[in-house]
Short mmCIF file of all heavy atoms in Angstrom, two decimals:
data_model
loop_
_atom_site.label_atom_id
_atom_site.label_comp_id
_atom_site.label_asym_id
_atom_site.label_seq_id
_atom_site.Cartn_x
_atom_site.Cartn_y
_atom_site.Cartn_z
N ARG A 6 -4.56 -15.58 6.06
CA ARG A 6 -4.86 -16.02 4.69
C ARG A 6 -5.39 -14.88 3.85
O ARG A 6 -5.03 -14.73 2.68
CB ARG A 6 -5.87 -17.17 4.69
CG ARG A 6 -5.23 -18.50 4.91
CD ARG A 6 -6.14 -19.66 4.64
NE ARG A 6 -5.39 -20.87 4.95
CZ ARG A 6 -5.96 -22.04 5.11
NH1 ARG A 6 -7.27 -22.19 5.01
NH2 ARG A 6 -5.21 -23.09 5.38
N HIS A 15 -2.08 -8.14 -5.22
CA HIS A 15 -1.40 -6.86 -5.43
C HIS A 15 -0.14 -7.05 -6.28
O HIS A 15 0.13 -6.25 -7.18
CB HIS A 15 -1.06 -6.22 -4.09
CG HIS A 15 -0.29 -4.94 -4.22
ND1 HIS A 15 -0.86 -3.79 -4.70
CD2 HIS A 15 0.99 -4.65 -3.95
CE1 HIS A 15 0.05 -2.84 -4.72
NE2 HIS A 15 1.19 -3.34 -4.27
N SER A 27 -4.73 -20.31 -4.32
CA SER A 27 -4.69 -21.26 -3.19
C SER A 27 -3.36 -22.02 -3.14
O SER A 27 -2.84 -22.29 -2.06
CB SER A 27 -5.88 -22.22 -3.24
OG SER A 27 -5.88 -22.95 -4.43
N ARG A 45 -3.49 -27.46 0.24
CA ARG A 45 -4.02 -26.75 -0.93
C ARG A 45 -5.55 -26.79 -0.93
O ARG A 45 -6.20 -25.78 -1.18
CB ARG A 45 -3.50 -27.38 -2.23
CG ARG A 45 -2.08 -27.03 -2.55
CD ARG A 45 -1.69 -27.41 -3.98
NE ARG A 45 -2.23 -28.66 -4.47
CZ ARG A 45 -1.56 -29.81 -4.55
NH1 ARG A 45 -0.32 -29.87 -4.15
NH2 ARG A 45 -2.14 -30.89 -5.03
N TRP A 81 -9.90 -1.47 -2.98
CA TRP A 81 -8.57 -1.91 -2.57
C TRP A 81 -7.71 -0.74 -2.11
O TRP A 81 -6.99 -0.86 -1.11
CB TRP A 81 -7.88 -2.66 -3.71
CG TRP A 81 -6.39 -2.73 -3.54
CD1 TRP A 81 -5.46 -2.06 -4.27
CD2 TRP A 81 -5.66 -3.46 -2.56
NE1 TRP A 81 -4.20 -2.34 -3.81
CE2 TRP A 81 -4.29 -3.20 -2.75
CE3 TRP A 81 -6.03 -4.30 -1.53
CZ2 TRP A 81 -3.30 -3.76 -1.97
CZ3 TRP A 81 -5.03 -4.86 -0.74
CH2 TRP A 81 -3.68 -4.59 -0.97
N ASN A 89 0.02 -4.78 6.55
CA ASN A 89 1.29 -4.81 7.27
C ASN A 89 2.44 -4.81 6.27
O ASN A 89 2.39 -5.54 5.29
CB ASN A 89 1.38 -6.06 8.15
CG ASN A 89 0.42 -6.02 9.29
OD1 ASN A 89 0.12 -4.95 9.82
ND2 ASN A 89 -0.09 -7.16 9.68
N SER A 107 5.61 15.61 15.56
CA SER A 107 6.11 15.92 16.90
C SER A 107 7.39 16.74 16.85
O SER A 107 7.54 17.74 17.58
CB SER A 107 6.38 14.62 17.67
OG SER A 107 5.20 13.88 17.81
N VAL A 112 10.30 21.93 17.36
CA VAL A 112 11.18 22.91 16.72
C VAL A 112 10.48 24.27 16.63
O VAL A 112 11.09 25.32 16.94
CB VAL A 112 11.61 22.41 15.31
CG1 VAL A 112 12.26 23.52 14.51
CG2 VAL A 112 12.56 21.23 15.45
N ILE A 113 9.22 24.29 16.28
CA ILE A 113 8.47 25.55 16.19
C ILE A 113 8.33 26.19 17.57
O ILE A 113 8.48 27.40 17.73
CB ILE A 113 7.11 25.33 15.50
CG1 ILE A 113 7.35 24.99 14.02
CG2 ILE A 113 6.20 26.53 15.65
CD1 ILE A 113 6.13 24.45 13.30
N ALA A 114 8.09 25.36 18.60
CA ALA A 114 8.00 25.89 19.96
C ALA A 114 9.34 26.48 20.40
O ALA A 114 9.38 27.58 20.99
CB ALA A 114 7.56 24.79 20.93
N PHE A 135 8.48 21.93 7.59
CA PHE A 135 7.79 20.72 8.02
C PHE A 135 6.56 20.43 7.17
O PHE A 135 6.18 19.28 6.97
CB PHE A 135 7.45 20.78 9.51
CG PHE A 135 8.67 20.52 10.35
CD1 PHE A 135 9.37 21.57 10.93
CD2 PHE A 135 9.15 19.23 10.52
CE1 PHE A 135 10.51 21.34 11.68
CE2 PHE A 135 10.30 18.99 11.27
CZ PHE A 135 10.98 20.04 11.85
N ALA A 143 3.90 12.21 2.20
CA ALA A 143 2.60 11.69 1.78
C ALA A 143 2.61 11.30 0.30
O ALA A 143 2.07 10.26 -0.08
CB ALA A 143 1.51 12.73 2.04
N TYR A 145 5.27 10.45 -1.46
CA TYR A 145 6.11 9.26 -1.58
C TYR A 145 5.34 8.01 -1.16
O TYR A 145 5.36 6.99 -1.84
CB TYR A 145 7.37 9.41 -0.71
CG TYR A 145 8.27 8.21 -0.78
CD1 TYR A 145 9.17 8.06 -1.83
CD2 TYR A 145 8.20 7.21 0.18
CE1 TYR A 145 9.98 6.94 -1.92
CE2 TYR A 145 9.01 6.10 0.11
CZ TYR A 145 9.90 5.97 -0.94
OH TYR A 145 10.69 4.86 -1.03
#
Side-chain angles (χ1 to χ4, degrees):
R6 276 192 182 164
H15 176 70
S27 59
R45 284 193 321 259
W81 160 251
N89 291 328
S107 299
V112 167
I113 291 167
F135 284 100
Y145 179 83

